[in-house]
Amino acid sequence: MTCGRAGLGGAMTSGLASGAEPRAGLAPIFGLFRDDEGGFTTVAVAVSLVLSLSLVFGAASAAWVAGRSSEVQRVADACALAGENTVAAFSTVVQVVDACVLSMGLAGVIVLGAGLVVSCVPGLSAAGAEVTSAGGRILEARRSFASSAGEGIERLETTLPLLIVANSASCVEANEAGGVSYTGCAIPFPTESRSDFSALEADVDEDELVELSGQMQEVSDEVDEAQRRADEAKERAWRADCVTEPYCLRERAASLAGLGIGENPDYPTVDGWTFGVPLLRARAYYAARLASAHVGGSGAEEMTDSACRRAFYEYALEEVRSGSYEEHADGTVSVDLPSLPRNAEQTRGTRLYTDAMWPCSVEGGVRTLHSSTLCPGAGGSPSGSASLADAEAGSVATCDQCRMDIGDMGRVASASTSIANGFEHHWRIIVEASRDYEAARRDEAAAEARLRGLAEQGEGAFERAIEELSVARPTLCPPGAWGCVAVVARSGSSVPSELTASFLSSAELPEGVAVSAAALAPDDATAENNVLSSFFDSLGAGESALGGALDGVTELWGRLLVGYGSAYESVGSAGSEFLGGLDGVLGGSVGSWLRERLERVLRAAGFEPVDMRLRKPVLTNTQDVLDQAGLERISTVRSLVNALPESGSAFDLARAAGLWLVDAVGTDEFTLAEIPVPGTGLSIPLTIDLSRMGGGS
């Protein structure tokens, strides 16, 4: 054991055992840090603290430099997004304007179509003129708005590069902090407008619709007049047939012929009554009167009167049985109610005068006409029959007893036609009214045929007007449509003195440059967020102030405006609902037919869908933006970096990069156009706050 220890001790002579004395050469150095008792001296503690603090502040300085070095890229990203945000705001403005122009055009044409429909309705020509005029005013307001809005959009688009640069430069400036300053802005691509707003000013020619409406109003007035005449004639005939004041045809048939309700029906109103009713009543009446008529009397004169009455009833029955009433599909009627003679002159024009229906005998060698074979004067041999015309011509003699002649026959219906208690009195009124009714219905049908022809022309004109509105919408490609490329430079700066002054020499943050790009992308989260709905609500438009047939014009425009983003699937429903709400358009009429045709045109109108999702700026690869612009990435970026001025503003950079900056709008607030609200007479300025435009407001 001792050998091992001695050997071990000899091997470790170069080491220093704990508590052992240091070698003579190192003693002075270690003596600065260790005392005689083996502990650390004050110098050792001070050196340790200084060294530790130097390392801490050195690490902090390095971290500060590293952090500030990377922040230039974040600033460039924010700069690109800020520039593209301005493009997003401009795109929203254009969509709102286009929606206003298109919806106003549709509203105007639909109201004009409603004017055509109302103009077809008899009695509503004045309302048709009012509705047509309102439609024309809407299109005129739309024309004025489209022109001023198109001009305003072009001015705003001209200013867009300036707004992009200003907004992006403001973003860069806002990111300056901690003594680090940045210079830069976003450059839009394309740098110049490639938009086409000519579609905004695509006009709608309403002259044909207005002219057709005027023609329809004239013809519908003719129809209305004919209907009035027809209704008046029918009313007059119905009153003569059914209204006891105190007599009427029905009352006379019951009193004079004893007809029951089955053959003598009552119609308390004119509805359901036709001229066929008195015709059937007259047939039953004369059949009953003929069945009860007997020739005879206490004297020759009475016998003649009874013979004339029987002959009249027989003649009247034959006449009314040959009469007719028929309604045709074209709206006309055929009314053939026979007129019955009421005096001798009229009797001469009937068979009562010309037919050989009166018995004759030879009296004193002279052939003589009698009212009946029972005549006391008919004592001679029978000699056939003769007519009253023969007697008046002298071909046969007149009996001295019965004195039968045309005067007796003419007097039969004279009294009953001339006074209100006679059946023939009311029959004459009905016959005259039937002729007026037939003529009025004929005129009405002819006018309605012309009106139908005008309605067919109106359908074609309406369809052409809708097609004029179906043109392609404006092509939107403003500066920045492909994206914005941001170039941001960081100037050199010193590390904050509080990090270096006490322990380190002054450090410098070197200059740096970063490039970024942003483009617009649809925000799916806003698919249900209809900007136009909020816009319409903000206008504060109420119901139509026009009233009458024009109620709902504002609501129609609102529905069309809000439906702009739904491929205009709502055009058919909104238009149909508005047209369906028109008063006085009865089924089966020309107006009803035209309304159905116009609704069909609206349902078939093909409007391209409009994507109303809001656009938001998103970061993208710089190469993607430059590729669309047909530029090579490295050389373009190098040229943009080289264009960074050593001193000056972001506008100097933009100009150095070849961007033409124009201020075409001037003030912070820019009134794009005055929006007329259809149906209210109101006009509301569409004002854009340019100071907030970069924020997408």
Side-chain angles (χ1 to χ4, degrees):
M1 294 291 290
T2 58
C3 281
R5 182 175 183 182
L8 181 61
M12 295 184 67
T13 56
S14 62
L16 185 65
S18 178
E21 291 296 331
R23 286 181 295 176
L26 297 177
I29 299 175
F30 282 101
L32 295 174
F33 302 101
R34 300 292 294 270
D35 56 19
D36 294 338
E37 297 178 357
F40 291 105
T41 65
T42 302
V43 174
V45 173
V47 170
S48 298
L49 288 175
V50 170
L51 180 60
S52 298
L53 289 174
S54 298
L55 291 174
V56 169
F57 282 95
S61 178
W64 187 91
V65 170
R68 295 301 183 271
S69 296
S70 64
E71 282 186 1
V72 68
Q73 184 61 54
R74 179 182 60 80
V75 175
D77 292 344
C79 176
L81 292 171
E84 196 64 12
N85 210 28
T86 304
V87 183
F90 176 77
S91 300
T92 301
V93 170
V94 173
Q95 277 192 322
V96 169
V97 170
D98 182 48
C100 289
V101 171
L102 181 56
S103 59
M104 286 175 63
L106 284 168
V109 172
I110 291 174
V111 172
L112 276 175
L116 294 181
V117 172
V118 176
S119 296
C120 284
V121 180
L124 295 182
S125 60
E130 180 185 6
V131 176
T132 301
S133 176
R137 292 197 301 271
I138 293 174
L139 289 182
E140 181 60 34
R142 177 248 187 200
R143 191 173 294 119
S144 175
F145 171 70
S147 177
S148 60
E151 179 182 347
I153 286 176
E154 290 180 355
R155 290 173 58 197
L156 184 58
E157 190 181 42
T158 302
T159 308
L160 192 58
L162 175 64
L163 296 175
I164 293 172
V165 171
N167 192 53
S168 60
S170 176
C171 175
V172 170
E173 183 180 353
N175 277 277
E176 293 182 352
V180 181
S181 61
Y182 300 98
T183 302
C185 67
I187 306 299
F189 290 94
T191 57
E192 296 180 350
S193 169
R194 301 192 182 187
S195 302
D196 181 6
F197 300 119
S198 59
L200 288 176
E201 298 190 29
D203 205 0
V204 179
D205 185 5
E206 71 269 28
D207 292 344
E208 184 179 8
L209 290 169
V210 173
E211 182 179 355
L212 284 171
S213 177
Q215 295 176 9
M216 289 177 177
Q217 292 158 27
E218 293 179 2
V219 178
S220 69
D221 284 343
E222 295 180 19
V223 174
D224 183 51
E225 174 61 20
Q227 287 179 346
R228 185 195 61 76
R229 287 164 39 215
D231 292 343
E232 190 278 331
K234 186 176 181 180
E235 172 85 11
R236 180 158 35 100
W238 167 74
R239 298 187 71 85
D241 185 42
C242 296
V243 180
T244 303
E245 293 180 344
Y247 306 107
C248 64
L249 199 71
R250 181 191 60 79
E251 187 276 333
R252 289 291 81 195
S255 298
L256 300 177
L259 295 183
I261 191 66
E263 295 179 304
N264 194 32
D266 182 24
Y267 285 81
T269 66
V270 71
D271 297 331
W273 182 93
T274 69
F275 283 91
V277 173
L279 179 61
L280 295 177
R281 198 188 314 278
R283 289 173 181 175
Y285 171 79
Y286 284 116
R289 294 304 299 267
L290 179 62
S292 62
H294 301 287
V295 178
S298 57
E301 185 176 348
E302 290 184 6
M303 181 181 61
T304 298
D305 290 342
S306 64
C308 288
R309 282 196 299 274
R310 191 178 193 287
F312 178 82
Y313 294 149
E314 184 176 10
Y315 166 78
L317 180 60
E318 291 178 359
E319 288 294 302
V320 296
R321 281 177 175 173
S322 66
S324 63
Y325 172 77
E326 184 178 0
E327 297 183 357
H328 304 297
D330 62 355
T332 60
V333 295
S334 296
V335 187
D336 183 14
L337 301 185
S339 294
L340 300 178
R342 56 180 175 175
N343 52 45
E345 183 60 33
Q346 292 182 1
T347 303
R348 288 188 177 94
T350 68
R351 297 192 307 276
L352 292 173
Y353 182 68
T354 57
D355 285 1
M357 54 186 297
W358 305 102
C360 296
S361 64
V362 179
E363 306 296 337
V366 179
R367 190 166 181 254
T368 305
L369 181 143
H370 305 281
S371 62
S372 172
T373 56
L374 301 177
C375 176
S381 59
S383 183
S385 299
S387 67
L388 295 178
D390 294 334
E392 197 167 44
S395 299
V396 293
T398 301
C399 175
D400 294 336
Q401 296 291 322
C402 66
R403 301 181 182 280
M404 180 63 193
D405 60 10
I406 187 61
D408 291 320
M409 193 68 249
R411 283 191 294 272
V412 171
S414 176
S416 62
T417 303
S418 302
I419 58 177
N421 64 353
F423 184 89
E424 287 72 26
H425 171 80
H426 302 285
W427 178 257
R428 176 180 61 81
I429 296 174
I430 293 171
V431 170
E432 292 175 354
S434 72
R435 292 170 182 170
D436 294 340
Y437 181 75
E438 184 178 27
R441 290 291 297 272
R442 183 171 57 249
D443 294 343
E444 178 185 353
E448 282 195 342
R450 297 200 306 276
L451 193 59
R452 174 62 67 91
L454 291 172
E456 292 175 352
Q457 296 180 44
E459 178 193 4
F462 183 81
E463 185 172 11
R464 286 189 290 275
I466 292 294
E467 288 175 353
E468 289 178 356
L469 291 173
S470 301
V471 297
R473 305 317 309 151
T475 301
L476 180 61
C477 188
W482 302 335
C484 286
V485 175
V487 180
V488 176
R490 180 192 63 235
S491 61
S493 61
S494 299
V495 175
S497 59
E498 57 268 23
L499 297 179
T500 62
S502 300
F503 304 98
L504 299 173
S505 60
S506 177
E508 293 290 330
L509 177 65
E511 296 180 352
V513 176
V515 178
S516 183
L520 293 182
D523 186 357
D524 292 332
T526 63
E528 302 300 325
N529 178 24
N530 197 323
V531 175
L532 295 172
S533 178
S534 301
F535 173 73
F536 179 68
D537 293 340
S538 70
L539 294 179
E543 275 299 314
S544 169
L546 300 175
L550 291 171
D551 274 339
V553 171
T554 305
E555 181 182 356
L556 168 67
W557 177 62
R559 289 188 60 183
L560 293 172
L561 176 66
V562 174
Y564 171 82
S566 61
Y568 265 101
E569 295 174 357
S570 60
V571 170
S573 60
S576 296
E577 184 173 330
F578 180 76
L579 294 174
L582 299 175
D583 295 330
V585 184
L586 303 178
S589 64
V590 176
S592 175
W593 176 88
L594 179 58
R595 178 171 61 188
E596 293 175 358
R597 303 295 295 186
L598 298 189
E599 290 175 357
R600 183 180 304 177
V601 170
L602 289 174
R603 288 192 296 269
F607 289 92
E608 291 297 325
V610 179
D611 187 356
M612 284 303 296
R613 290 176 297 175
L614 294 178
R615 266 55 178 176
K616 64 178 182 180
V618 295
L619 294 177
T620 187
N621 193 310
T622 307
Q623 186 64 55
D624 293 338
V625 177
L626 297 178
D627 282 346
Q628 280 193 282
L631 300 174
E632 197 276 325
R633 179 177 182 271
I634 296 177
S635 61
T636 303
V637 170
R638 182 181 294 113
S639 64
L640 291 176
V641 171
N642 292 335
L644 284 169
E646 294 183 0
S647 63
S649 67
F651 299 98
D652 296 326
L653 167 61
R655 296 188 185 96
L659 194 61
W660 187 255
L661 302 181
V662 176
D663 185 0
V665 294
T667 60
D668 289 340
E669 286 192 345
F670 172 57
T671 299
L672 192 70
E674 295 276 338
I675 301 178
V677 182
T680 65
L682 301 176
S683 183
I684 300 175
L686 177 56
T687 301
I688 300 171
D689 186 349
L690 298 178
S691 65
R692 300 178 60 196
M693 186 172 177
S697 301

